[in-house]
Amino acid sequence: MIKVGIYDSDILILSEMENLLLQLESVRKIFIDIDVFNEKSDFLSHMNDEVYDLIYLSIQDDYKEIIAIAQEAKDYNPHVTIIYLAEDESLWKLLLEEAHMFRLITKPIDHNFFCKCFMNVYDKMRADKNYFEYKYRRKLCRVIFNDILFFESSGRYIIIHTKEEETKMIGTLNTIECQISTSKAAFCRVHQSYLVNEKYIKNIERTSLLLFNGTRLPISKRRYQLLKERL
Protein backbone atom coordinates (compact mmCIF):
# COMPACT_ATOMS: atom_id res chain seq x y z
CA MET A 1 0.00 0.00 0.00
CA ILE A 2 1.08 3.56 -0.66
CA LYS A 3 -0.41 6.45 1.32
CA VAL A 4 -0.85 9.60 -0.80
CA GLY A 5 -1.77 13.15 0.17
CA ILE A 6 -2.69 15.76 -2.45
CA TYR A 7 -3.00 19.50 -1.95
CA ASP A 8 -4.29 21.86 -4.65
CA SER A 9 -6.64 24.82 -4.34
CA ASP A 10 -8.22 23.86 -7.68
CA ILE A 11 -10.89 21.20 -7.09
CA LEU A 12 -10.86 20.16 -10.75
CA ILE A 13 -7.11 19.46 -10.61
CA LEU A 14 -7.63 17.50 -7.39
CA SER A 15 -10.29 15.39 -9.05
CA GLU A 16 -8.10 14.85 -12.12
CA MET A 17 -5.15 13.61 -10.03
CA GLU A 18 -7.33 11.41 -7.84
CA ASN A 19 -8.86 9.78 -10.93
CA LEU A 20 -5.41 9.15 -12.42
CA LEU A 21 -4.30 7.45 -9.22
CA LEU A 22 -7.46 5.34 -9.08
CA GLN A 23 -6.82 4.23 -12.66
CA LEU A 24 -3.26 3.26 -11.71
CA GLU A 25 -4.59 1.38 -8.71
CA SER A 26 -6.91 -0.63 -10.95
CA VAL A 27 -4.45 -1.31 -13.77
CA ARG A 28 -1.32 -1.94 -11.67
CA LYS A 29 -3.12 -3.71 -8.79
CA ILE A 30 -1.61 -1.31 -6.25
CA PHE A 31 -3.53 -0.36 -3.12
CA ILE A 32 -3.40 3.46 -3.01
CA ASP A 33 -4.91 5.24 0.00
CA ILE A 34 -5.63 8.82 -1.12
CA ASP A 35 -6.44 11.97 0.86
CA VAL A 36 -7.23 15.17 -1.06
CA PHE A 37 -7.21 18.72 0.29
CA ASN A 38 -8.02 22.08 -1.27
CA GLU A 39 -7.31 24.04 1.92
CA LYS A 40 -3.79 24.32 3.35
CA SER A 41 -5.10 24.34 6.90
CA ASP A 42 -6.92 21.02 6.38
CA PHE A 43 -3.82 19.47 4.85
CA LEU A 44 -1.62 20.67 7.71
CA SER A 45 -4.01 19.34 10.34
CA HIS A 46 -3.98 15.89 8.75
CA MET A 47 -0.28 15.79 7.93
CA ASN A 48 0.74 15.24 11.55
CA ASP A 49 -1.84 12.49 12.04
CA GLU A 50 -1.08 10.46 8.91
CA VAL A 51 2.15 8.90 7.62
CA TYR A 52 2.24 9.79 3.93
CA ASP A 53 4.56 8.00 1.52
CA LEU A 54 3.93 10.51 -1.27
CA ILE A 55 2.71 14.10 -1.22
CA TYR A 56 1.63 16.19 -4.19
CA LEU A 57 1.89 19.92 -3.50
CA SER A 58 0.54 22.54 -5.86
CA ILE A 59 2.67 25.67 -5.85
CA GLN A 60 2.02 29.15 -7.26
CA ASP A 61 3.12 32.54 -5.91
CA ASP A 62 2.78 31.06 -2.42
CA TYR A 63 5.97 29.06 -2.85
CA LYS A 64 7.46 30.13 0.51
CA GLU A 65 4.41 28.77 2.33
CA ILE A 66 4.47 25.55 0.34
CA ILE A 67 8.19 25.06 0.93
CA ALA A 68 7.55 25.47 4.66
CA ILE A 69 4.83 22.80 4.47
CA ALA A 70 7.23 20.49 2.61
CA GLN A 71 9.86 20.98 5.29
CA GLU A 72 7.35 20.22 8.02
CA ALA A 73 6.32 17.05 6.17
CA LYS A 74 9.97 15.99 5.93
CA ASP A 75 10.55 16.71 9.61
CA TYR A 76 7.59 14.52 10.52
CA ASN A 77 8.48 11.73 8.07
CA PRO A 78 11.99 11.86 6.52
CA HIS A 79 11.01 9.13 4.04
CA VAL A 80 8.14 11.02 2.41
CA THR A 81 8.49 11.78 -1.32
CA ILE A 82 7.33 15.17 -2.57
CA ILE A 83 6.12 15.94 -6.07
CA TYR A 84 5.24 19.53 -6.94
CA LEU A 85 2.72 20.82 -9.44
CA ALA A 86 3.17 24.26 -10.97
CA GLU A 87 2.30 26.26 -14.06
CA ASP A 88 5.77 27.82 -14.07
CA GLU A 89 8.40 25.20 -14.82
CA SER A 90 11.19 27.66 -14.00
CA LEU A 91 10.50 26.92 -10.30
CA TRP A 92 12.22 23.53 -10.63
CA LYS A 93 15.66 24.81 -9.63
CA LEU A 94 14.38 26.54 -6.49
CA LEU A 95 12.33 23.49 -5.51
CA LEU A 96 15.17 21.08 -6.17
CA GLU A 97 17.60 23.05 -4.03
CA GLU A 98 15.34 24.13 -1.18
CA ALA A 99 12.22 22.00 -1.07
CA HIS A 100 13.11 18.28 -1.26
CA MET A 101 11.65 17.96 -4.75
CA PHE A 102 11.46 14.52 -6.35
CA ARG A 103 9.70 15.67 -9.51
CA LEU A 104 7.98 18.78 -10.88
CA ILE A 105 4.80 18.26 -12.90
CA THR A 106 3.65 21.23 -14.91
CA LYS A 107 0.05 22.18 -15.55
CA PRO A 108 -1.92 21.25 -17.55
CA ILE A 109 -1.01 17.76 -16.40
CA ASP A 110 0.52 15.34 -18.89
CA HIS A 111 -1.21 12.11 -17.86
CA ASN A 112 1.56 9.82 -19.10
CA PHE A 113 4.21 11.79 -17.24
CA PHE A 114 2.06 11.86 -14.10
CA CYS A 115 1.73 8.07 -14.16
CA LYS A 116 5.43 7.63 -14.88
CA CYS A 117 6.36 9.80 -11.88
CA PHE A 118 4.06 7.83 -9.61
CA MET A 119 5.56 4.51 -10.71
CA ASN A 120 9.06 5.92 -10.15
CA VAL A 121 8.07 6.68 -6.55
CA TYR A 122 6.37 3.32 -6.07
CA ASP A 123 9.32 1.33 -7.42
CA LYS A 124 11.75 3.30 -5.28
CA MET A 125 9.60 2.81 -2.21
CA ARG A 126 9.45 -0.96 -2.76
CA ALA A 127 13.23 -1.11 -3.14
CA ASP A 128 13.87 0.95 0.01
CA LYS A 129 11.04 -0.33 2.18
CA ASN A 130 12.18 -1.55 5.58
CA TYR A 131 8.85 -1.80 7.38
CA PHE A 132 5.69 -3.88 7.41
CA GLU A 133 2.41 -1.99 7.20
CA TYR A 134 -1.13 -3.04 7.88
CA LYS A 135 -4.53 -1.63 8.75
CA TYR A 136 -6.37 -2.40 11.96
CA ARG A 137 -9.61 -0.70 12.99
CA ARG A 138 -9.21 1.74 10.09
CA LYS A 139 -5.80 2.85 11.32
CA LEU A 140 -2.62 2.51 9.27
CA CYS A 141 0.11 0.88 11.36
CA ARG A 142 3.79 0.27 10.60
CA VAL A 143 6.48 -1.79 12.28
CA ILE A 144 10.15 -2.07 11.31
CA PHE A 145 10.98 -5.52 9.90
CA ASN A 146 14.02 -5.82 12.18
CA ASP A 147 11.72 -5.51 15.20
CA ILE A 148 9.48 -8.42 14.15
CA LEU A 149 10.29 -11.86 15.61
CA PHE A 150 7.51 -13.76 13.85
CA PHE A 151 3.94 -13.68 12.55
CA GLU A 152 1.45 -16.13 14.02
CA SER A 153 -1.84 -17.15 12.43
CA SER A 154 -4.70 -17.43 14.94
CA GLY A 155 -8.13 -17.87 13.38
CA ARG A 156 -8.98 -14.85 11.28
CA TYR A 157 -6.25 -12.81 12.97
CA ILE A 158 -2.49 -12.51 12.55
CA ILE A 159 -0.53 -11.85 15.74
CA ILE A 160 2.64 -9.82 15.11
CA HIS A 161 5.25 -10.70 17.72
CA THR A 162 7.91 -8.00 18.08
CA LYS A 163 10.79 -7.56 20.51
CA GLU A 164 8.64 -5.31 22.67
CA GLU A 165 5.00 -6.32 22.27
CA GLU A 166 2.30 -8.26 20.43
CA THR A 167 -0.14 -6.60 18.06
CA LYS A 168 -2.74 -8.08 15.75
CA MET A 169 -4.37 -7.57 12.39
CA ILE A 170 -6.97 -9.31 10.27
CA GLY A 171 -5.40 -11.36 7.47
CA THR A 172 -3.59 -14.51 6.42
CA LEU A 173 0.04 -15.61 6.38
CA ASN A 174 -0.21 -16.25 2.64
CA THR A 175 -1.10 -12.59 2.07
CA ILE A 176 1.73 -11.41 4.32
CA GLU A 177 4.24 -13.62 2.49
CA CYS A 178 3.25 -12.01 -0.80
CA GLN A 179 3.37 -8.54 0.72
CA ILE A 180 6.91 -8.90 2.05
CA SER A 181 8.31 -10.95 -0.84
CA THR A 182 9.65 -7.83 -2.59
CA SER A 183 11.32 -6.46 0.54
CA LYS A 184 14.87 -7.07 1.71
CA ALA A 185 13.61 -8.71 4.90
CA ALA A 186 14.31 -12.45 5.26
CA PHE A 187 11.27 -14.29 6.62
CA CYS A 188 10.59 -18.01 6.29
CA ARG A 189 7.42 -20.05 6.66
CA VAL A 190 8.28 -22.77 9.18
CA HIS A 191 4.74 -24.01 9.76
CA GLN A 192 1.27 -23.29 8.41
CA SER A 193 0.76 -21.01 11.43
CA TYR A 194 4.18 -19.30 11.70
CA LEU A 195 6.25 -16.96 9.53
CA VAL A 196 9.62 -16.28 11.23
CA ASN A 197 12.30 -13.62 10.87
CA GLU A 198 15.41 -15.66 10.02
CA LYS A 199 17.77 -13.35 11.91
CA TYR A 200 16.19 -14.39 15.24
CA ILE A 201 16.53 -18.16 14.73
CA LYS A 202 19.06 -19.56 17.21
CA ASN A 203 18.93 -23.23 16.29
CA ILE A 204 16.81 -25.73 14.38
CA GLU A 205 15.72 -29.23 15.36
CA ARG A 206 13.66 -31.68 13.35
CA THR A 207 10.34 -30.77 14.95
CA SER A 208 10.97 -27.28 16.34
CA LEU A 209 13.19 -24.22 16.26
CA LEU A 210 14.41 -21.93 19.01
CA LEU A 211 14.54 -18.14 18.78
CA PHE A 212 17.13 -16.03 20.57
CA ASN A 213 14.48 -14.74 22.98
CA GLY A 214 13.75 -18.31 24.15
CA THR A 215 10.55 -18.84 22.16
CA ARG A 216 10.20 -22.32 20.67
CA LEU A 217 8.04 -22.84 17.58
CA PRO A 218 6.99 -26.00 15.73
CA ILE A 219 8.45 -26.72 12.30
CA SER A 220 7.02 -29.08 9.69
CA LYS A 221 9.15 -31.87 8.24
CA ARG A 222 9.12 -30.43 4.72
CA ARG A 223 9.96 -26.93 5.89
CA TYR A 224 12.73 -28.25 8.13
CA GLN A 225 14.56 -29.51 5.03
CA LEU A 226 13.99 -26.27 3.14
CA LEU A 227 15.14 -24.14 6.05
CA LYS A 228 18.27 -26.20 6.63
CA GLU A 229 19.24 -25.55 3.00
CA ARG A 230 18.59 -21.80 3.33
CA LEU A 231 20.41 -21.11 6.59
Side-chain angles (χ1 to χ4, degrees):
M1 185 184 75
I2 179 168
K3 180 73 174 176
V4 178
I6 309 173
Y7 162 71
D8 197 301
S9 58
D10 188 329
I11 295 177
L12 292 178
I13 293 290
L14 280 178
S15 178
E16 181 181 4
M17 287 192 287
E18 185 175 20
N19 286 332
L20 286 170
L21 291 173
L22 291 174
Q23 289 171 26
L24 276 167
E25 180 179 51
S26 176
V27 172
R28 299 281 185 161
K29 308 302 180 186
I30 302 168
F31 179 28
I32 309 174
D33 192 1
I34 310 167
D35 291 335
V36 296
F37 307 93
N38 72 328
E39 296 287 345
K40 290 175 193 168
S41 57
D42 289 342
F43 176 62
L44 282 168
S45 67
H46 280 76
M47 193 170 66
N48 292 329
D49 294 326
E50 299 284 352
V51 181
Y52 290 108
D53 299 297
L54 171 61
I55 293 175
Y56 292 92
L57 290 176
S58 180
I59 190 166
Q60 299 175 25
D61 55 358
D62 57 349
Y63 67 89
K64 289 185 178 179
E65 268 186 89
I66 297 299
I67 289 175
I69 290 173
Q71 185 59 58
E72 186 171 340
K74 274 288 185 180
D75 289 342
Y76 182 68
N77 175 20
H79 303 291
V80 68
T81 298
I82 301 173
I83 293 178
Y84 291 91
L85 297 102
E87 294 178 358
D88 183 2
E89 63 180 9
S90 66
L91 285 171
W92 74 268
K93 187 174 182 181
L94 171 70
L95 296 173
L96 185 63
E97 292 177 350
E98 299 184 23
H100 310 285
M101 182 183 75
F102 181 76
R103 293 285 188 276
L104 174 64
I105 297 175
T106 54
K107 300 177 182 179
I109 296 173
D110 180 319
H111 289 191
N112 288 332
F113 184 64
F114 181 93
C115 294
K116 181 179 179 180
C117 290
F118 174 84
M119 291 309 301
N120 288 160
V121 174
Y122 181 69
D123 290 341
K124 180 180 181 299
M125 193 181 83
R126 288 178 62 191
D128 296 342
K129 189 173 179 180
N130 68 341
Y131 55 83
F132 175 73
E133 63 185 0
Y134 61 98
K135 271 196 167 183
Y136 187 63
R137 294 178 178 172
R138 297 187 177 182
K139 184 178 180 180
L140 177 65
C141 306
R142 289 178 174 171
V143 57
I144 301 298
F145 280 126
N146 281 343
D147 290 341
I148 300 173
L149 301 176
F150 62 95
F151 296 93
E152 177 186 1
S153 176
S154 178
R156 60 194 291 259
Y157 290 100
I158 297 295
I159 302 172
I160 305 169
H161 296 261
T162 73
K163 292 184 287 186
E164 304 295 334
E165 61 182 358
E166 296 178 6
T167 58
K168 67 180 180 179
M169 59 174 283
I170 296 173
T172 67
L173 286 184
N174 288 339
T175 301
I176 292 174
E177 277 191 294
C178 291
Q179 185 176 342
I180 67 178
S181 63
T182 56
S183 74
K184 297 176 182 178
F187 282 78
C188 56
R189 188 77 170 266
V190 300
H191 184 274
Q192 64 179 4
S193 299
Y194 298 99
L195 181 63
V196 178
N197 190 336
E198 292 181 5
K199 69 179 289 184
Y200 292 111
I201 297 175
K202 184 175 182 179
N203 60 53
I204 308 168
E205 300 174 7
R206 289 197 173 273
T207 59
S208 66
L209 59 82
L210 181 67
L211 303 185
F212 280 104
N213 73 338
T215 300
R216 187 171 292 277
L217 300 174
I219 182 170
S220 68
K221 183 177 180 180
R222 181 177 67 85
R223 292 188 171 106
Y224 167 78
Q225 294 297 337
L226 293 173
L227 191 56
K228 287 288 285 185
E229 292 172 5
R230 284 181 59 173
L231 298 181

